[in-house]
Amino acid sequence: IRMRVSGLIMYVLAVLSAGYGIFVRAAGSGTSFFLVWFTLAVVLILFGISLHIRLWKKVPVWGRRILTGIVVLGLAAFVIVEGCVISHMEDRGEDGLDYIIVLGAQVYKDGPSPVLQYRLDRAIEYLEENPDTYCILSGGEGANEPFPEAQGMADYMIRQGISEIRLVQEMESMTTEENIRNSMKYVREGASVGIVTNDFHMFRALQIAHKQGVNDACGISAGSMKLYLANNMLREFFAEIKFILLSL
């Protein structure tokens, strides 16, 4: 009975995972990461079937221990990474910074994507509270974008009342690493810097900044859409693992 109940739970989780993947795809996330949710659904179904046919009982003891160890290590890594991500989700930065760097995200012909709009609105709020701060808008033109992200970001901020004189457009970057490295070319030596990005992205963005020698950069966290948060948090987990492996 226990095996059947556990298998049923796996099937329910598989349906929820696939349903969430469909939601993320339909909402237009801008990436193909939604496919991970379908992959997870398949894994859960296979695991449920294995429980239903008692396949687990047929696996040698040493095999069970290895598989259990892998699962435990994976869960531990997931908890640690997500804990680090959560620890920077409320970063408020410092007042009176010389520059803030807004990391780019997808732009559409009629305006910024929801993810990017959160970043821009937070930057506007900061600039209104700190009139001497300059803002570097960083982002190039992706294959699915009508113009460079920095251009779309500047257009949005100007429409919201921010003076064009305070805005610097960096239009070459295609990754977070390039965003920070190329933006720092516009920062005078010794100036204070804040990085504006979404809450779920802040931890890794600061890691990248510190790796590039921008050790005094502080985070200015923007919000994000709560319905996307599970997708974004899972994506950040894999992005963080990739960052760690490439840094070895």
Side-chain angles (χ1 to χ4, degrees), residues 33-58:
F33 188 79
F34 68 92
L35 294 173
V36 171
W37 294 100
F38 297 130
T39 303
L40 179 59
V42 171
V43 171
L44 290 169
I45 289 173
L46 292 175
F47 191 52
I49 292 174
S50 71
L51 291 173
H52 184 74
I53 65 176
R54 298 180 180 276
L55 183 61
W56 182 253
K57 294 290 186 180
K58 301 175 184 178

Side-chain angles (χ1 to χ4, degrees), residues 9 12 17-18 27 43-44 48 52 69 83 93 96 98 102 135 172 186 197 209 213:
I9 292 173
V12 171
S17 180
V43 171
L44 290 169
H52 184 74
D98 296 313
V102 185
C135 179
E172 303 298 325
Y186 296 94
T197 190

Side-chain angles (χ1 to χ4, degrees), residues 97-111:
L97 294 171
D98 296 313
Y99 298 88
I100 58 172
I101 299 171
V102 185
L103 305 185
Q106 189 172 23
V107 293
Y108 305 126
K109 186 176 181 179
D110 58 350

Side-chain angles (χ1 to χ4, degrees), residues 19-123:
Y20 186 68
I22 292 172
F23 163 75
V24 173
R25 177 66 182 91
S29 64
T31 72
S32 59
F33 188 79
F34 68 92
L35 294 173
V36 171
W37 294 100
F38 297 130
T39 303
L40 179 59
V42 171
V43 171
L44 290 169
I45 289 173
L46 292 175
F47 191 52
I49 292 174
S50 71
L51 291 173
H52 184 74
I53 65 176
R54 298 180 180 276
L55 183 61
W56 182 253
K57 294 290 186 180
K58 301 175 184 178
V59 177
V61 174
W62 61 266
R64 295 186 211 172
R65 290 176 177 173
I66 291 175
L67 291 173
T68 301
I70 292 174
V71 171
V72 170
L73 287 175
L75 289 174
F78 182 79
V79 170
I80 291 172
V81 169
E82 297 299 342
C84 292
V85 171
I86 292 171
S87 71
H88 283 275
M89 292 181 75
E90 298 296 329
D91 284 5
R92 308 312 300 168
E94 303 172 1
D95 292 332
L97 294 171
D98 296 313
Y99 298 88
I100 58 172
I101 299 171
V102 185
L103 305 185
Q106 189 172 23
V107 293
Y108 305 126
K109 186 176 181 179
D110 58 350
S113 62
V115 166
L116 182 56
Q117 186 169 338
Y118 274 102
R119 301 180 188 185
L120 295 174
D121 288 344
R122 181 67 184 95

